[in-house]
Amino acid sequence: MHGTAPAGAVFVARLGRRIAALFALKMFSTLGAVALFFYAYFWVMRHPLSAMTVMPLTWIDDWIGFIPAAFPLYASLWLYIALGTALARDIGELAAYGAAALALGAVVLALFMLWPTKVPDFGIDWSLHPAMAFMKSVDVTGNACPSLHAAFCVFTAAVLHQQLKSLDAARWLLAGNLLWGLGILASTVATRQHVALDAIAGAALGGATAGA
């Protein structure tokens, strides 16, 4: 008699087939979407329709504090988002994911134009943190609220949760997805790219998009 394949092996096989499906389309659509997003993001940052509003700090900002080591977690959002594309079941699911992400980005960019916001000056010597210093020189302090980083993080976390469940992923993988998402969310404040109010507003929009 042939034994039943271990649950882990079955999951890995399903995962491999899911990633391989439409691989080229997924890869190039992701690269194209990211390029388009950054073009629109920086264009909006340079063409606000009114004066910048400085976002206020709260007790949450003090509680989290500045954590330079959180930068890799912050940067991992782009890998996180790519997983949502990679695990799409078919072209219909891929298109739905892309359309929802596009709508979310468009809404937030429109808010940035109508109500330009920026984070306060935290008085940090960024030269002591080279990786973040480069990011700060490019991203400056605009496009703060709602945080697109937080919005895409929560939206992707919800999508990945459903995708992993459809693959019968183990509970530890579902928990890992949740922890990764929460880590990215906290890193938006810990890297001082955003204040807590930015992250909360972005998370709310991302959650609303996922639930729509």
Side-chain angles (χ1 to χ4, degrees), residues 44-45 47-53 111-117:
V44 168
M45 182 181 289
H47 298 85
L49 295 181
S50 59
M52 289 277 187
T53 297
L111 289 173
F112 288 160
M113 286 198 71
L114 295 172
W115 181 48
T117 52

Side-chain angles (χ1 to χ4, degrees), residues 63-165:
W63 179 62
I64 293 178
F66 174 50
I67 308 173
F71 177 71
L73 192 55
Y74 178 86
S76 74
L77 173 74
W78 303 108
L79 172 60
Y80 197 54
I81 290 174
L83 289 177
T85 302
L87 297 186
R89 188 195 312 266
D90 50 36
I91 195 165
E93 190 171 292
L94 179 64
Y97 178 77
L102 178 64
L104 176 59
V107 167
V108 176
L109 288 176
L111 289 173
F112 288 160
M113 286 198 71
L114 295 172
W115 181 48
T117 52
K118 64 180 181 179
V119 298
D121 182 0
F122 293 103
I124 298 171
D125 184 355
W126 295 109
S127 66
L128 300 176
H129 313 284
M132 283 188 286
F134 173 76
M135 180 178 66
K136 291 291 183 179
S137 69
V138 174
D139 202 6
V140 294
T141 59
N143 291 357
C145 187
S147 164
L148 258 174
H149 220 80
F152 279 131
C153 170
V154 171
F155 169 68
T156 303
V159 170
L160 283 174
H161 179 77
Q162 293 303 318
Q163 290 173 330
L164 289 170
K165 285 184 65 176

Side-chain angles (χ1 to χ4, degrees), residues 29 41 74 97 184:
S29 63
Y41 179 86
Y74 178 86
Y97 178 77
I184 294 173

